[in-house]
Amino acid sequence: MNEARYASLTRSFPERAEVLFKENEEAAMARYQHLLKLKDVYAEV
């Protein structure tokens, strides 16, 4: 939210911004979980 593009999106399209931010957070968590699994796989090798 420190970047102008995010603040602008929130001001212009608050409902859409909320959906996009939520989707982005979920995608980031999924990527993080995937990386944790990869770490475990490669730690075993």
Side-chain angles (χ1 to χ4, degrees):
M1 294 306 291
N2 293 332
E3 294 188 31
R5 59 185 168 163
Y6 299 130
S8 176
L9 178 64
T10 302
R11 282 192 305 273
S12 300
F13 305 100
E15 298 86 14
R16 182 69 179 140
E18 185 176 337
V19 170
L20 290 172
F21 292 146
K22 182 170 177 45
E23 288 175 359
N24 188 48
E25 183 177 4
E26 290 169 355
M29 287 303 296
R31 286 190 306 271
Y32 179 70
Q33 293 301 321
H34 177 72
L35 290 172
L36 289 176
K37 288 179 186 176
L38 286 176
K39 179 188 75 135
D40 292 339
V41 167
Y42 285 107
E44 294 174 1
V45 174

